[in-house]
Amino acid sequence: MTSPLSALIEARRDDLVALTQDLIRIPTLNPPGQDYRAICEYLDRRLSARGFRTELIRATGAPGDSDRYPRWNIIARHSGPHRGDCVHFNSHTDVVETGKGWSFDPFAGTVSNGRIYGRGACDMKGGLAASVIAAEAFTQTHPDYSGHIEISGTADEESGGYGGVAYLAERGYFSPDRVQHVIIPEPLNKDRICLGHRGGWWAQIETKGEIAHGSMPFLGDCAVRHMGAVLSAFEETLFPAMASRRTDMPVVPEGARQSTMNINSVHGGAPEPEPGFSGLPAHCVPDSCRIVIDRRFLAEEPLDQVRAEVTALLEGLKETRTDFDYTLTELNAVLPSMTDRSAPVVQTVARAIEDIMGKKPDYVASPGTYDQKHIDRIGRLKNCIAYGPGILELAHKPDEYVGISDMLDSAKVMGRTLETLLTGAG
């Protein structure tokens, strides 16, 4: 039998679609971090009108924060008439660049064949919209509930979350005495519970050379050739070593069960000319070449080992390659995070999935990090999962979309979770 809460969520289908479209149409691109204030003000207007007490918080001084691109966040809190736990739904509001290959306007929120298309549709404005509808419907059907519901829209998750959840966690917004259960509606599929994520280590490697005339390269030292040696060593040694390692974490997709590394960028020699420049390049031997590496590691790999493996490879080249010199600069490091399957929020969402969809959930871990890392490490709150609508593999792709029926089902699961945690139902 359909519960009154699920029936109300189903009846608000058009509202859910319109809300998701409105969120997509605010182009919160990161970088540079635009329109953060606009999306927070939109959520403020909506949630304030429905009884939520809202707070807009600028992450002053956080990485990326500036007067031109301020890092704005919103936390909205709704309280029942009785004491009880706080359930917090945290969604990031930023989206990545659109890239090429779209069939739809990436910021139009086009509806086609039961899907809403747009940058951020699944990652993760569809999840944010589902949590808003679930919370609003719950407070309408259960006005006498115990505890609190929070919805946050936070900045910069796509670039590490330091202007968003990390900033808020440092100021106690995710402390266990304030918030007891956290659900992050990342797109991990509506019938899966994400318990955590792999670790990440980002670093820049610069190889050094000596500038000279390009017609006499023997009078200089080509930094790009030195970087070629680094890349060759990665191919011959590091990538095969990583491919041989497997984790017991339930990471999806299957390829992410091993260690991985991406070469994020390569910069060497003369800078790229400005658009419209029609001149020819100068004839110079490059004296610097830089790459950024994105190393994702497993719970079974200590971070010190990850660092040491790359350092040892570079030191080996320094010993064997004439005039090889380099600098290695760490940009960021994130440890793996995993919530225990016995945690209250895990068990409650699992029962809700069974109630709504008639099946047991799959338990997974994410290949990439997300804001659980800050709630875990800074907030010291372990009772946290990712659960939301959308297909993980669509994130950051052209023609990104979220299914409307998936959002409705996820909203019903979120609503059922609120019933269990804040009314004792079930």
Side-chain angles (χ1 to χ4, degrees):
M1 182 180 296
T2 301
S3 71
L5 175 56
S6 290
L8 179 57
I9 291 171
E10 187 70 39
R12 294 186 61 182
R13 179 186 188 278
D14 291 346
D15 187 15
L16 176 59
V17 171
L19 173 57
T20 305
Q21 290 177 303
D22 285 348
L23 295 171
I24 291 169
R25 288 166 183 163
I26 303 173
T28 47
L29 284 165
N30 179 24
Q34 68 185 46
D35 287 318
Y36 287 168
R37 177 85 189 193
I39 200 166
C40 288
E41 289 178 343
Y42 175 90
L43 292 168
D44 183 17
R45 290 190 298 271
R46 178 176 181 114
L47 294 170
S48 294
R50 289 160 176 81
F52 284 78
R53 178 171 51 84
T54 61
E55 185 177 3
L56 271 65
I57 304 155
R58 177 178 170 180
T60 305
D65 179 70
S66 67
D67 289 340
R68 185 177 181 184
Y69 297 112
R71 269 43 192 172
W72 283 102
N73 304 275
I74 183 172
I75 294 182
R77 186 177 178 95
H78 193 287
S79 298
H82 310 291
R83 296 180 64 180
D85 284 356
C86 177
V87 181
H88 185 114
F89 295 95
N90 165 247
S91 297
H92 67 84
T93 57
D94 58 322
V95 301
V96 298
E97 63 179 302
T98 57
K100 300 177 181 178
W102 284 79
S103 306
F104 301 90
D105 180 340
F107 294 113
T110 302
V111 175
S112 178
N113 296 320
R115 300 169 175 175
I116 306 175
Y117 286 84
R119 177 54 84 223
C122 83
D123 186 17
M124 56 180 299
K125 291 178 176 179
L128 170 56
S131 70
V132 169
I133 294 296
E136 291 174 350
F138 172 80
T139 60
Q140 183 175 338
T141 55
H142 297 281
D144 198 41
Y145 76 93
S146 301
H148 314 272
I149 303 167
E150 286 188 343
I151 296 174
S152 61
T154 52
D156 281 5
E157 189 274 344
E158 298 291 3
S159 55
Y162 295 97
V165 171
Y167 185 90
L168 297 174
E170 288 167 353
R171 284 150 184 81
Y173 285 93
F174 289 97
S175 62
D177 60 343
R178 184 180 186 277
V179 173
Q180 286 70 51
H181 314 271
V182 177
I183 298 171
I184 304 176
E186 289 276 9
L188 274 302
N189 296 19
K190 65 181 180 181
D191 57 357
R192 301 199 297 197
I193 295 173
C194 184
L195 303 173
H197 53 72
R198 294 190 298 175
W201 182 63
W202 296 265
Q204 177 182 277
I205 299 169
E206 180 184 13
T207 51
K208 302 176 182 181
E210 182 180 353
I211 193 168
H213 199 289
S215 68
M216 298 175 286
F218 46 84
L219 297 180
D221 189 18
C222 182
V224 173
R225 289 185 64 186
H226 286 312
M227 187 61 75
V230 174
L231 297 177
S232 293
F234 283 166
E235 293 290 343
E236 295 168 5
T237 304
L238 185 56
F239 282 110
M242 291 188 299
S244 69
R245 300 167 193 162
R246 303 285 292 175
T247 183
D248 289 332
M249 297 174 70
V251 182
V252 291
E254 180 64 25
R257 295 291 296 272
Q258 68 180 44
S259 300
T260 60
M261 188 173 77
N262 177 53
I263 309 298
N264 206 55
S265 60
V266 181
H267 302 279
E272 286 288 314
E274 295 182 2
F277 178 76
S278 59
L280 296 173
H283 313 295
C284 292
V285 175
D287 59 2
S288 173
C289 186
R290 292 170 289 114
I291 64 171
V292 172
I293 58 174
D294 175 351
R295 172 76 163 86
R296 304 302 172 116
F297 61 96
L298 313 175
E300 294 83 356
E301 295 179 286
L303 176 57
D304 286 347
Q305 174 186 311
V306 171
R307 293 187 181 111
E309 193 170 36
V310 172
T311 302
L313 184 149
L314 295 169
E315 285 294 308
L317 287 172
K318 193 169 184 177
E319 292 178 2
T320 58
R321 184 174 174 85
T322 302
D323 295 329
F324 182 86
D325 193 16
Y326 74 94
T327 58
L328 174 64
T329 304
E330 181 173 305
L331 303 177
N332 194 19
V334 172
L335 296 176
S337 178
M338 279 285 287
T339 298
D340 195 277
R341 281 180 57 167
S342 64
V345 72
V346 178
Q347 295 295 309
T348 305
V349 173
R351 290 196 299 272
I353 290 172
E354 288 192 63
D355 289 346
I356 300 301
M357 286 178 260
K359 61 169 294 186
K360 292 183 180 296
D362 293 326
Y363 298 92
V364 301
S366 173
T369 70
Y370 55 93
D371 279 331
Q372 181 171 333
K373 59 184 177 285
H374 300 310
I375 294 167
D376 178 358
R377 306 291 178 185
I378 302 173
R380 305 297 178 190
L381 178 60
K382 302 293 185 182
N383 193 37
C384 174
I385 60 167
Y387 170 76
I391 300 169
L392 177 63
E393 289 79 4
L394 294 175
H396 299 196
K397 297 280 287 182
D399 286 348
E400 176 187 350
Y401 69 83
V402 64
I404 297 170
S405 63
D406 289 349
M407 285 196 297
L408 286 167
D409 284 342
S410 289
K412 292 173 187 176
V413 169
M414 295 173 190
R416 183 65 178 136
T417 297
L418 291 172
E419 285 184 320
T420 301
L421 293 174
L422 302 184
T423 72

